[in-house]
Amino acid sequence: MGFISNFSGGQPDLHPIATPLVLVPIGQRWVFETRATFENDLVQLPGRSGFHGGPVQKEVEYAQLDFIANSCVTITVGRFLTPFGIFNERLYPVWIRNLQSDPLILPIGIGPSNASTGGMIRGGFKARPQFNINYAVYFSALSTTSPVDSDRFAGVRTGIFIPKARLEMGGSFQHLLEQERSNLFGFHAIWQPTLLPLDIRGEYANSKRGSGYWIEPAYKLSQLPFLQNEMRRTQLVARYQQFFTGDLVSDALPPINTKQFEFGLNYYFIDGLKAASNYGRQFSSAGNLNVWTLGLTYRFVVPMGSAGGPR
Amino acid sequence: MRRNWMLVCCLGVMACLVRSALAQEQERSDKGSAVVASAGPSTANSNASHDRRSPPALRSTASAERAQRIEGEKRFRTNCGRCHQPPHKFPSRVMATAIRHMRVRAMLTDEDMRLILSYMTQ
């Protein structure tokens, strides 16, 4: 759940958002999971006081059934977040992301509405004592019914995770099975050095509709010698990103080459409750722009019914 | 041309990351390996299978449990703060569901999941 206020080029915009997630474990090997979003955009209208919004927008982001076939294979069917790169599947929820704005390259490879309709096989296993391998192979069918629209494509993402170094690196590949039938690819890395309270994430994506990268270091101030209780809850974040237009155009991507630098400060109150602020400056030939965001996000978990239990 | 440069930069960054990761691993390899061997993918109630219990066996069960707990905590620290803030403990039923979810989403290995689950539900 979150309350995000955005000031883009000086225009304030309040953005309350709630994303309930329902998990239903069935027996020992099945899980049904679904997440919906309820959001509204409240803007100031000229000549009127206060903020005004339209109807609340509702959307089912995913609804999938997972079958844990064995220690290395899970089979998923339904509508699932497309595992191209890491942002969409792992970092998207407002309580997780370090900066409240989306990376410019986010729309690359994830399809309309960020999700695929089809099937996926995924899993993780220990390949050697020093590292684990994870993989996801998926297929999505064309669906034009909004809001459950998706493109027809097939893809794979794999990663290698070295637990001792807390480093994960990987790549994504996707083949579009419609339109110009092009290939898309990307790389990602997440590193949390064991000696520093630092978190570095980055991604690169390439498609016919554009390419680009972002890199985002985040540092918890727990090593400062003063106000330790407050400082260990405070996180400084920076993100630098660049987008380059491709041969084809896409409504979801910037129409011109764009660079963006953002800086943010997060404060973690208690488990799940976070205050977030960020300032960004966008540079493009259409003019430069300041983007401010202030927000409060909260993740909580409520048990419902009596399904499932410790395995 | 520009794309080629970006590719080269990405590969360069990755190469640096791998190098420092391997260096770190080298540094820690002598400290780290002691506990790992004794921690199998067993859950908290797997003691039932130890039926021939002589006193030394009992002692070794207790130390195996301790090692398992330490290993569980270690795996929790390495895995659960990678994408989001590591969560606090929840009631065990909720935890089991959340960890099953994370197993699918985060593609945790079977062993990691079991150790983390037993650590988080103790």
Side-chain angles (χ1 to χ4, degrees):
Chain A
M1 200 173 82
F3 195 81
I4 316 293
S5 44
N6 227 318
F7 302 85
S8 188
Q11 288 292 338
D13 158 14
L14 298 185
H15 191 90
I17 174 166
T19 51
L21 166 83
V22 177
L23 287 175
V24 187
I26 308 159
Q28 293 294 305
R29 287 164 172 263
W30 298 80
V31 197
F32 173 73
E33 44 173 318
T34 180
R35 186 173 83 191
T37 303
F38 298 87
E39 58 189 320
N40 205 342
D41 264 329
L42 305 170
V43 287
Q44 274 182 324
L45 299 178
R48 292 177 65 184
S49 62
F51 284 87
H52 302 271
V56 174
Q57 291 163 31
K58 307 172 227 65
E59 193 193 333
V60 175
E61 289 177 298
Y62 63 80
Q64 66 189 67
L65 186 64
D66 308 319
F67 171 62
I68 302 171
N70 63 37
S71 61
C72 327
V73 178
T74 298
I75 300 169
T76 293
V77 290
R79 192 167 163 76
F80 52 88
L81 298 172
T82 313
F84 186 90
I86 46 172
F87 199 91
N88 186 39
E89 208 197 33
R90 299 184 178 181
L91 307 172
Y92 193 85
V94 288
W95 63 273
I96 298 184
R97 50 173 76 206
N98 285 335
L99 291 170
Q100 291 304 321
S101 53
D102 290 343
L104 299 170
I105 56 166
L106 171 68
I108 297 179
I110 57 178
S113 322
N114 306 5
S116 301
T117 315
M120 167 165 67
I121 297 179
R122 62 195 279 135
F125 56 90
K126 193 172 187 162
R128 286 284 177 87
Q130 303 90 335
F131 63 82
N132 302 338
I133 287 185
N134 58 57
Y135 70 92
V137 184
Y138 56 93
F139 168 78
S140 168
L142 177 69
S143 155
T144 46
T145 0
S146 179
V148 288
D149 41 354
S150 55
D151 282 345
R152 193 169 131 83
F153 51 62
V156 51
R157 183 187 69 196
T158 66
I160 152 166
F161 174 52
I162 307 171
K164 275 199 187 131
R166 300 198 191 175
L167 170 71
E168 178 176 344
M169 286 184 313
S172 310
F173 175 81
Q174 190 181 88
H175 181 65
L176 211 56
L177 295 162
E178 56 179 28
Q179 295 161 1
E180 78 284 353
R181 295 182 167 259
S182 56
N183 291 332
L184 297 82
F185 66 89
F187 302 109
H188 65 261
I190 309 184
W191 186 38
Q192 296 184 304
T194 31
L195 302 173
L196 286 174
L198 181 67
D199 218 317
I200 304 176
R201 295 168 177 160
E203 248 186 305
Y204 168 80
N206 185 301
S207 76
K208 277 256 180 311
R209 291 175 167 70
S211 61
Y213 65 90
W214 57 267
I215 174 145
E216 184 189 284
Y219 184 71
K220 278 261 179 87
L221 300 180
S222 55
Q223 288 183 324
L224 294 189
F226 53 93
L227 287 177
Q228 284 193 332
N229 194 30
E230 284 72 30
M231 288 303 162
R232 78 183 161 79
R233 295 162 185 272
T234 310
Q235 186 186 40
L236 296 180
V237 194
R239 178 164 70 196
Y240 182 71
Q241 49 180 336
Q242 259 187 299
F243 174 79
F244 306 100
T245 50
D247 304 339
L248 304 173
V249 288
S250 155
D251 293 343
L253 291 164
I256 39 178
N257 291 354
T258 309
K259 268 186 216 164
Q260 190 162 320
F261 179 73
E262 282 150 289
F263 172 80
L265 188 100
N266 293 324
Y267 189 83
Y268 296 87
F269 292 96
I270 48 164
D271 185 32
L273 180 63
K274 161 172 102 174
S277 62
N278 74 273
Y279 165 74
R281 187 145 176 90
Q282 208 177 66
F283 307 91
S284 72
S285 53
N288 300 341
L289 194 74
N290 287 337
V291 185
W292 283 92
T293 309
L294 289 173
L296 199 62
T297 66
Y298 187 37
R299 185 225 70 229
F300 55 93
V301 183
V302 240
M304 297 193 297
S306 57
R311 292 177 34 144
Chain B
M1 192 60 212
R2 202 174 46 215
R3 281 198 197 144
N4 290 349
W5 270 110
M6 276 175 24
L7 261 175
V8 170
C9 290
C10 279
L11 292 176
V13 169
M14 286 200 178
C16 291
L17 289 177
V18 173
R19 223 193 63 192
S20 61
L22 290 178
Q24 264 188 15
E25 198 178 318
Q26 190 105 45
E27 198 179 284
R28 322 187 105 246
S29 59
D30 25 4
K31 297 182 224 159
S33 52
V35 227
V36 186
S38 54
S42 55
T43 52
N45 51 10
S46 66
N47 295 339
S49 60
H50 291 259
D51 38 14
R52 285 181 292 117
R53 274 197 198 171
S54 59
L58 258 182
R59 219 179 307 132
S60 74
T61 314
S63 69
E65 260 170 26
R66 231 188 83 234
Q68 185 179 318
R69 207 185 54 234
I70 294 171
E71 189 59 24
E73 183 173 353
K74 198 171 115 194
R75 307 247 177 152
F76 172 76
R77 291 189 191 288
T78 13
N79 284 289
C80 300
R82 208 141 52 88
C83 302
H84 49 70
Q85 293 298 305
H88 288 189
K89 293 188 178 180
F90 299 115
S92 57
R93 197 156 53 75
V94 177
M95 207 69 239
T97 308
I99 288 184
R100 197 188 291 185
H101 185 211
M102 285 306 108
R103 179 208 180 135
V104 176
R105 182 62 65 90
M107 301 180 286
L108 299 176
T109 64
D110 204 41
E111 186 184 286
D112 286 346
M113 188 206 67
R114 283 169 195 280
L115 284 162
I116 294 170
L117 182 57
S118 73
Y119 164 70
M120 292 298 276
T121 49
Q122 265 159 21

